[in-house]
Amino acid sequence: MGTQNAHLLIVDDDDRIRQLLKRFLMSKNYGVSTAKDAAEARELIDAIDFDLLIFDIMMPGEDGISLTKFVRNERNTPILLLTARGEANDRIEGLSAGADDYLPKPFEPEELALRIANILRRVKPAPVQTAMTFGDTTYDLTRDELKREGIIIRLTETEKSLMRELATRSGAVVTREELARKAGVAADRSIDVQVARLRRKLEPNSAEPMYLQTIRGQGYRLAPDI
């Protein structure tokens, strides 16, 4: 899901503000639900899996801080607090309760949209690349399959563990200790031997590796073509 297809919940006792924000955020291609108080918000939160919650702090009855604490005890849905109270202590209280961001009133709607987009980008998991190519060799992470020109190259269970860990973190350096732990081998020459065996199956020339790279003093990195 793209950030601008996310479903938001706005909780504010001011009907005019709720409707203004709803229209504005819907114009940004968000799905938007609203609630006039914490009680109505609790019912919606129990029924719907929202992508982000926007709470006004100063509401009659249960306030936004209390509602934030309630949500945090139940789930990790990101929360943005809106309030006319902009003092440092109030911001600290809101963030300590579990809010992800804090926007004092009055504010520009465009700033609200930017803060929402930033929060959603932070919490959205990065996509994991599942199909990779290494010259004439391909690796399918979902199947644990390494193929050269369509023919499956047999991997041992240790080699599968190494390849899976490197592929999941493609482009990043994985330490020898991390790889050894995942593969269930000692973090000494044993892991180097296993990596060398995997290289012979992956690389066109394992003596001059292009794809399974050694990062001196750090570990190994997988660098696929795609």
Side-chain angles (χ1 to χ4, degrees):
M1 175 188 292
T3 58
Q4 289 185 310
N5 293 314
H7 191 180
L8 317 178
L9 174 63
I10 299 170
V11 186
D12 196 304
D13 62 302
D14 188 321
D15 181 65
R16 184 183 65 86
I17 291 177
R18 286 200 312 274
Q19 296 310 314
L20 283 172
L21 292 181
K22 180 176 182 178
R23 285 196 297 271
F24 173 74
L25 292 172
M26 288 182 69
S27 76
K28 298 289 187 180
N29 297 321
Y30 290 110
V32 182
S33 296
T34 64
K36 66 181 182 300
D37 57 27
E40 186 176 359
R42 283 176 180 248
E43 292 180 3
L44 288 170
I45 291 166
D46 283 340
I48 300 172
D49 187 16
F50 291 102
D51 296 291
L52 187 140
L53 307 171
I54 303 169
F55 298 159
D56 182 38
I57 286 185
M58 298 181 69
M59 296 185 291
E62 184 180 7
D63 64 18
I65 298 290
S66 174
L67 185 57
T68 296
K69 292 177 180 178
F70 161 75
V71 171
R72 262 314 148 259
N73 287 332
E74 301 288 330
R75 62 197 74 207
N76 293 320
T77 310
I79 298 170
L80 173 62
L81 294 178
L82 305 177
T83 180
R85 295 158 56 186
E87 290 81 4
N89 287 342
D90 297 322
R91 292 197 299 273
I92 291 169
E93 184 182 10
L95 295 171
S96 297
D100 295 84
D101 203 354
Y102 189 107
L103 186 57
K105 297 177 181 178
F107 54 82
E108 291 295 328
E110 286 293 345
E111 182 180 0
L112 173 63
L114 287 171
R115 286 176 181 260
I116 289 170
N118 286 339
I119 293 171
L120 291 173
R121 276 195 294 269
R122 288 200 303 268
V123 300
K124 181 183 177 183
V128 175
Q129 186 179 355
T130 58
M132 303 175 187
T133 62
F134 309 87
D136 60 358
T137 303
T138 60
Y139 177 67
D140 185 335
L141 180 58
T142 59
R143 294 173 177 268
D144 267 345
E145 276 186 357
L146 191 66
K147 291 183 178 180
R148 180 169 293 116
E149 298 179 347
I151 299 173
I152 293 177
I153 300 170
R154 181 182 173 276
L155 297 176
T156 66
E157 289 304 314
T158 298
E159 290 164 351
K160 285 182 180 180
S161 296
L162 291 176
M163 192 67 191
R164 188 163 50 245
E165 182 67 13
L166 288 161
T168 301
R169 298 166 63 179
S170 178
V173 177
V174 185
T175 68
R176 296 168 76 251
E177 290 75 20
E178 289 175 299
L179 279 178
R181 187 166 58 251
K182 289 289 183 179
V185 298
D188 51 20
R189 290 292 300 167
S190 300
I191 190 65
D192 299 325
V193 169
Q194 294 296 333
V195 169
R197 288 175 178 169
L198 180 59
R199 270 200 181 118
R200 288 197 287 271
K201 298 180 179 182
L202 181 67
E203 301 278 357
N205 180 1
S206 61
E208 297 181 2
M210 299 168 53
Y211 303 116
L212 209 177
Q213 303 168 350
T214 298
I215 309 301
R216 189 177 299 277
Q218 298 182 54
Y220 297 99
R221 176 172 61 201
L222 194 66
D225 293 325
I226 300 176

